Amino acid sequence: VQAALRETQNVASNRNLEWWSRGQAMLADFIRNESRPGRLIEARLEALAGQKAYPNSVGAKMCAVILHEIERPDYRMQAMISDNLNRPSIEVTYRNINKMFFRAYSVDLEGSLKDMKSGRDLFSSENAVSLIRENTKKPVAEWSVDLSPTPDFSFHKKFVTPPLKKMGPYLIVSSGRADFSGNNDTVHFTRFLATDLVLLIGKQGAGSVETQVIFGESGLPASGVEVSLYRSQWDKRAELVETKKTQQNGFVSFKESF
């Protein structure tokens, strides 16, 4: 179908017809949905040609939509759930953006667990919006990262190291605008725990769970670390079951019914 369409579009006499712009939109759409490198560059050129040929036509409007989708800034952000300080723990996948802005907010994890109205994710969109829009809390860190150009209009990746000074839980928020206003921009957020400890879940059975805490750098067991077990349900507040310290081998067991 695409080959036949391309052949039709290349016939010189067809360029004198208004529907040629619609054909260009269809061709551009075919090309941009391919998987080969450079497809978006080629699709954009085809859409530009269709738009310029008959600017007031339906085909030109279809081409304009495709151009907008190819050229619009877009990005995704995700982070390690937990990682040590000074590590490239954040991954940004982006296109058509030259700079990203970040804020990190400290989180009172235990207090937030107790205040949760249900077992839903502690780091909810409502919490993020409250921090940013209502300015209910000042960020502990703010920074920006320059991004390499994306002339192929495709997604590229950038790993970012958050400049955090202390261990602990954080809510990290990103934006393509320095003011985080959300105007013509998407604000993303992710949770992040800065820690040098790793929690390994071991045996689990009816009413019991065993876990080990180790140091992430060395893999050695971490003794004397407080581990808290919470009971969480979707329609109830999180409830602290018990807190214990790890043994010399880093293990701790909860055998009470939970």
Side-chain angles (χ1 to χ4, degrees):
V1 176
Q2 180 179 335
L5 177 60
R6 187 184 292 273
E7 184 176 347
T8 300
Q9 292 300 104
N10 287 335
V11 175
S13 60
N14 288 339
R15 293 175 179 263
N16 298 322
L17 303 174
E18 187 175 292
W19 60 257
W20 185 82
S21 288
R22 179 173 288 194
Q24 285 298 107
M26 293 175 63
L27 181 60
D29 195 44
F30 274 124
I31 295 173
R32 69 170 175 162
N33 286 305
E34 294 177 349
S35 57
R36 59 183 174 86
R39 66 189 186 281
L40 295 178
I41 297 175
E42 184 178 341
R44 179 176 176 271
L45 292 175
E46 299 291 0
L48 279 171
Q51 184 186 45
K52 291 179 179 179
Y54 299 94
N56 298 319
S57 67
V58 173
K61 294 178 181 178
M62 294 170 62
C63 288
V65 171
I66 293 173
L67 288 170
H68 171 74
E69 292 175 350
I70 292 176
E71 297 173 352
R72 70 181 177 89
D74 195 8
Y75 80 96
R76 317 276 190 274
M77 179 189 68
Q78 61 181 357
M80 299 282 290
I81 294 177
S82 63
D83 203 0
N84 210 336
L85 296 173
N86 303 315
R87 298 290 180 83
S89 309
I90 301 173
E91 179 189 83
V92 176
T93 306
Y94 70 97
R95 66 177 189 177
N96 306 326
I97 299 177
N98 55 25
K99 197 165 191 173
M100 288 292 304
F101 300 87
F102 298 87
R103 292 177 182 175
Y105 297 87
S106 61
V107 176
D108 176 9
L109 188 56
E110 292 187 7
S112 299
L113 282 170
K114 295 176 182 178
D115 291 339
M116 286 175 65
K117 295 180 179 179
S118 71
R120 295 175 300 173
D121 191 356
L122 167 65
F123 301 92
S124 66
S125 57
E126 290 84 359
N127 290 342
V129 169
S130 175
L131 287 172
I132 302 167
R133 302 285 187 267
E134 300 174 14
N135 199 26
T136 56
K137 190 174 185 179
K138 295 295 183 183
V140 297
E142 295 185 74
W143 70 99
S144 62
V145 174
D146 292 324
L147 302 174
S148 300
T150 56
D152 58 357
F153 303 99
S154 297
F155 283 103
H156 293 243
K157 289 185 178 180
K158 173 78 172 182
F159 291 94
V160 179
T161 301
L164 302 173
K165 304 299 182 183
K166 296 181 179 179
M167 299 291 191
Y170 295 91
L171 185 71
I172 296 181
V173 185
S174 63
S175 173
R177 295 175 57 98
D179 59 4
F180 286 76
S181 65
N183 296 328
N184 298 318
D185 175 55
T186 302
V187 176
H188 289 288
F189 68 93
T190 186
R191 60 183 179 180
F192 177 68
L193 176 63
T195 179
D196 59 347
L197 299 175
V198 177
L199 190 68
L200 303 176
I201 304 297
K203 299 178 182 178
Q204 298 186 60
S208 65
V209 63
E210 181 181 68
T211 185
Q212 184 186 26
V213 181
I214 63 174
F215 291 104
E217 289 286 344
S218 63
L220 296 175
S223 62
V225 177
E226 285 192 353
V227 179
S228 297
L229 178 68
Y230 283 84
R231 179 189 295 112
S232 178
Q233 300 181 41
W234 71 271
D235 60 344
K236 296 181 180 179
R237 294 179 184 272
E239 178 185 356
L240 177 62
V241 176
E242 190 176 4
T243 298
K244 288 186 174 182
K245 288 187 177 183
T246 56
Q247 304 171 18
Q248 190 171 359
N249 59 4
F251 279 91
V252 62
S253 299
F254 299 92
K255 297 183 179 180
E256 291 77 10
S257 176
F258 61 89

